[in-house]
């Protein structure tokens, strides 16, 4: 099975300007497709910006809203899957917002939708309701792909749930802030190693309101290495998710097989 070339868009886009951010995403998709990528991942809340205050409610959209249709057109035009973060307005519960992400396939069809389950800080707790579905999966390029958002990946039990469900590639749109550089530099590669999967971690970058995003977007492999890592500024980096490496690493590192769940009941 061929490798899935994966592009990570490291950008904070234009704060509060959905149209501008869709244009940035379109341009990144063109560059990613030219580099042979079959998947492009953008950061957390990419379509609107993160530090947008009361505009969060104004700019939030349903999961199948106009921005989702615009991203579907981008994916179809460039022939690659696109994952991105956005604020979701629940159409059945008035006033309820989710910090959400979705993956749209190369044909323009939605492959999966996810709502952030572990909210970070006062800002997110003020605006968002936590999601209640930890593992949402789809198939892409022969791989089992799933998604979480930023802080979610810092909980070992959360990533282990994905590993036990058979995830091969975990997509993590993120908005990681200074001084938490240890997450992309150390935590994400360790999560990939201990769970024997790939993690694609796409971050925002630079100052935004009261926040300072650190970049360092990373594609971490199951052998614990960073196959590609961005710097601190705006960037588009590309790396391969290799099924052959995944199979070999799982054979050499049988953590999931050697687990003793009966000893871990106190964790839950």
């Amino acid at each position: 099975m061929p490798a899935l070339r994966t592009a990570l868009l490291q950008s904070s886009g234009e704060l509060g300007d959905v149209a501008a951010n869709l244009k940035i995403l379109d341009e990144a998709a063109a560059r990613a497709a030219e580099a042979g990528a079959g998947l492009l991942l953008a950061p957390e809340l990419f379509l609107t910006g993160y530090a947008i205050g009361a505009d969060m409610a104004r700019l939030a959209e349903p999961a199948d809203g106009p921005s989702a249709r615009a991203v579907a057109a981008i994916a179809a035009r460039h022939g690659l899957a696109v994952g991105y973060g956005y604020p979701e307005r629940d159409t059945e519960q008035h006033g309820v917002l989710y910090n959400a992400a979705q993956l749209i396939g190369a044909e323009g069809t939605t492959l999966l939708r996810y709502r952030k389950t572990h909210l970070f800080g006062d800002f997110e707790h003020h605006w968002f309701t936590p999601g209640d579905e930890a593992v949402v999966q789809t198939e892409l390029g022969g791989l089992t792909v799933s998604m979480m958002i930023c802080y979610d990946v810092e909980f070992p039990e959360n990533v282990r749930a994905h590993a036990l469900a058979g995830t091969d590639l975990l997509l993590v749109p993120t908005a990681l802030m200074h001084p938490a550089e240890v997450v992309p530099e150390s935590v994400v590669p360790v999560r990939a190693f201990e769970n024997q999967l790939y993690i694609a971690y796409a971050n925002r970058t630079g100052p935004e309101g009261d926040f300072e995003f650190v970049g360092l977007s990373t594609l971490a492999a199951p052998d614990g290495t960073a196959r590609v890592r961005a710097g601190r500024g705006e960037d588009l980096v590309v790396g391969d998710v290799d099924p052959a490496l995944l199979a070999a690493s799982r054979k050499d590192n049988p953590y999931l097989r050697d687990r003793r769940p009966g000893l871990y009941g106190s964790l839950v």
Side-chain angles (χ1 to χ4, degrees), residues 14 23 36 53 59 106 109 120 130 133 145 147 160 164 170 175 235 238 245 249:
E14 297 293 336
K23 183 178 179 182
L59 295 176
T109 57
F120 178 80
E133 190 172 8
V145 178
M147 184 175 274
R160 179 53 55 89
L164 293 174
L170 180 58
D235 208 346
V238 179
L245 186 149
S249 185

Side-chain angles (χ1 to χ4, degrees), residues 72-120:
I74 290 170
R77 180 161 55 250
H78 299 292
L80 79 173
V82 178
Y84 66 99
Y86 67 104
E88 179 193 343
R89 179 185 300 110
D90 192 315
T91 57
E92 297 181 356
Q93 301 181 75
H94 180 71
V96 173
L97 304 181
Y98 295 96
N99 185 338
Q102 58 183 322
L103 177 65
I104 294 179
E107 298 80 19
T109 57
T110 300
L111 300 179
L112 66 78
R113 291 171 175 153
Y114 174 77
R115 294 165 170 173
K116 190 173 185 178
T117 55
H118 298 76
L119 301 180
F120 178 80

Side-chain angles (χ1 to χ4, degrees), residues 28-268:
R31 292 164 57 202
E34 186 177 0
L39 169 64
L40 169 66
L41 181 64
E44 181 178 5
L45 294 174
F46 179 73
L47 292 189
T48 59
Y50 189 95
I52 58 175
D55 278 345
M56 195 68 74
R58 180 179 67 84
L59 295 176
E61 295 183 18
D64 58 355
S67 291
R69 294 192 292 272
V71 176
I74 290 170
R77 180 161 55 250
H78 299 292
L80 79 173
V82 178
Y84 66 99
Y86 67 104
E88 179 193 343
R89 179 185 300 110
D90 192 315
T91 57
E92 297 181 356
Q93 301 181 75
H94 180 71
V96 173
L97 304 181
Y98 295 96
N99 185 338
Q102 58 183 322
L103 177 65
I104 294 179
E107 298 80 19
T109 57
T110 300
L111 300 179
L112 66 78
R113 291 171 175 153
Y114 174 77
R115 294 165 170 173
K116 190 173 185 178
T117 55
H118 298 76
L119 301 180
F120 178 80
D122 293 341
F123 176 80
E124 291 189 18
H125 280 92
H126 175 76
W127 286 109
F128 300 117
T129 295
D132 57 10
E133 190 172 8
V135 179
V136 182
Q137 295 175 313
T138 189
E139 188 275 337
L140 182 67
L143 299 168
T144 299
V145 178
S146 60
M147 184 175 274
M148 57 175 58
I149 299 174
C150 197
Y151 195 41
D152 289 332
V153 80
E154 298 176 40
F155 292 81
E157 306 91 339
N158 207 28
V159 183
R160 179 53 55 89
H162 284 263
L164 293 174
T167 294
D168 299 315
L169 170 61
L170 180 58
L171 306 180
V172 188
T174 189
L176 186 82
M177 308 159 193
H178 178 77
E181 286 88 341
V182 67
V183 176
E185 291 176 342
S186 299
V187 173
V188 168
V190 168
R191 289 282 177 274
F193 181 66
E194 68 191 2
N195 290 289
Q196 289 300 293
L197 43 69
Y198 277 89
I199 299 178
Y201 187 86
N203 198 15
R204 306 180 70 82
T205 182
E208 192 174 312
D210 295 332
F211 307 110
E212 177 74 28
F213 299 109
V214 302
L216 302 176
S217 298
T218 303
L219 178 63
D223 61 1
T225 64
R227 290 292 155 152
V228 65
R229 177 175 286 138
R232 299 290 185 126
E234 300 271 331
D235 208 346
L236 182 76
V237 294
V238 179
D240 287 340
V241 175
D242 184 356
L245 186 149
L246 182 63
S249 185
R250 286 174 171 172
K251 181 179 179 180
D252 292 341
N253 300 285
Y255 293 127
L256 300 184
R257 186 188 69 204
D258 291 344
R259 293 169 63 250
R260 296 182 62 194
L263 300 178
Y264 316 142
S266 62
L267 292 177
V268 294

